[in-house]
Amino acid sequence: MANMIRKGERGPGSLVRSNDPLRMDPLQMMRDLFRWDPFREMQPMGTLAERVFNPEVEFKETKDAYLCKADLPGIQEKDLEISVTGNRLHIRGRREEEETHEEDRYYAYERSYGSFSRSFTLPEGANADEVTAELKDGVLDIRIPKRADVQARRVSLQSPREQQEKGKVEDKKKAA
């Protein structure tokens, strides 16, 4: 018979969340650190579900754009707002709780609902006027193109001899 491992538990010798710093999962430590909000205590208290929903986001840079992906399962376009103010990208939305009945019996209830708001400072060189967004299969894709003046371009290497020859050609052009 297979051993059952509850969520959060792992087999012997693996990294787990504990108070022992030598046994803590470093990736989980980073996730916990970046989710900390020092102003959370100042916000009005809502239901637990309203405070818990915080979609996972991935933000990366390519050679010609900045790409943001957010996991938003169960959210419809009408419940989502994306805006750019100056150099700040704002994503706001709400996932409504499904209807429940008294006779329903839950064996697990781990899904979260409620409002969320995420904001990101756009890097210098982002073209905030041409931001595009698409919601497909529960994933929000936002593309922020880079301005042409900040996109990388290849610089060719020249030997000292090639530089001298190029200088001679330029001098002849100036003399003519």
Side-chain angles (χ1 to χ4, degrees), residues 56-115:
E56 302 288 329
V57 176
E58 170 185 289
F59 211 104
K60 70 179 180 178
E61 178 180 6
T62 65
K63 69 177 189 169
D64 59 347
Y66 300 98
L67 305 175
C68 177
K69 288 185 178 231
D71 291 335
L72 302 174
I75 294 184
Q76 300 174 6
E77 285 186 35
K78 67 178 180 67
D79 296 327
L80 189 60
E81 177 187 331
I82 303 156
S83 62
V84 177
T85 306
N87 68 339
R88 299 282 293 169
L89 171 68
H90 305 280
I91 306 169
R92 295 178 188 90
R94 179 167 185 76
R95 183 162 70 181
E96 297 292 335
E97 190 167 1
E98 296 172 1
E99 186 177 325
T100 59
H101 303 284
E102 279 188 35
E103 65 272 3
D104 293 343
R105 183 188 298 177
Y106 290 92
Y107 293 97
Y109 197 82
E110 298 177 348
R111 299 174 68 203
S112 55
Y113 302 94
S115 298

Side-chain angles (χ1 to χ4, degrees), residues 8-20:
E9 293 181 0
R10 299 192 182 152
S14 67
L15 297 173
V16 295
R17 294 183 74 179
S18 71
N19 292 331
D20 181 3

Side-chain angles (χ1 to χ4, degrees), residues 28-43:
Q28 186 62 45
M29 288 172 55
M30 293 302 290
R31 282 187 213 105
D32 292 344
L33 176 67
F34 289 121
R35 285 189 183 152
W36 178 67
D37 180 4
F39 302 105
R40 181 175 291 150
E41 288 79 21
M42 296 173 60
Q43 296 174 353

Side-chain angles (χ1 to χ4, degrees), residues 59 81-92 118-123 126-133 142-145:
F59 211 104
E81 177 187 331
I82 303 156
S83 62
V84 177
T85 306
N87 68 339
R88 299 282 293 169
L89 171 68
H90 305 280
I91 306 169
R92 295 178 188 90
R118 301 290 305 264
S119 294
F120 303 93
T121 301
L122 297 176
N127 188 349
D129 296 328
E130 296 186 25
V131 175
T132 58
I142 301 174
R143 184 177 190 280
I144 306 114

